[in-house]
Amino acid sequence: INARGSFAEIPDQAVYKLSDNFSQEELIEALESLYNSSHLREKLQKDGYKYYKNNHSPKIIAKQYASAINQFIKRPLITDNN
């Protein structure tokens, strides 16, 4: 991925990250590195899945939604009279 927007927040060990404005040479180097290194592919697969599981799995996202909903429920209502 390239380090643009929210993708920049993903840890480097979880993905093969290119700069925001990567060059063609950088892309070629990344693709060749991934093609030539089964160890790198396996490491990224393991670390990427661990990052996903700990941060973006449906169970984690559901807990975040529930927390946000509960926070909104606890807020005082804003009316035209206030």
Side-chain angles (χ1 to χ4, degrees):
I1 66 170
N2 69 327
R4 184 175 190 95
S6 62
F7 288 133
E9 298 172 11
I10 299 174
D12 291 345
Q13 69 270 16
V15 294
Y16 197 116
K17 194 181 300 181
L18 298 169
S19 65
D20 186 16
N21 296 312
F22 62 89
S23 67
Q24 184 175 0
E25 291 79 22
E26 289 173 302
L27 178 59
I28 291 168
E29 180 183 333
L31 293 172
E32 287 178 344
S33 293
L34 290 166
Y35 179 80
N36 292 320
S37 178
S38 62
H39 174 73
L40 176 60
R41 291 191 309 269
E42 289 169 8
K43 182 181 180 317
L44 289 172
Q45 177 186 13
K46 185 183 101 192
D47 293 346
Y49 180 73
K50 183 178 176 182
Y51 172 75
Y52 156 78
K53 185 178 175 183
N54 292 333
N55 296 282
H56 298 288
S57 69
K59 186 176 184 177
I60 298 293
I61 298 301
K63 285 181 182 180
Q64 291 173 346
Y65 271 108
S67 176
I69 290 168
N70 284 329
Q71 287 178 8
F72 286 121
I73 290 172
K74 293 176 184 176
R75 285 184 168 177
L77 290 176
I78 299 174
T79 65
D80 290 336
N81 297 335
N82 290 343

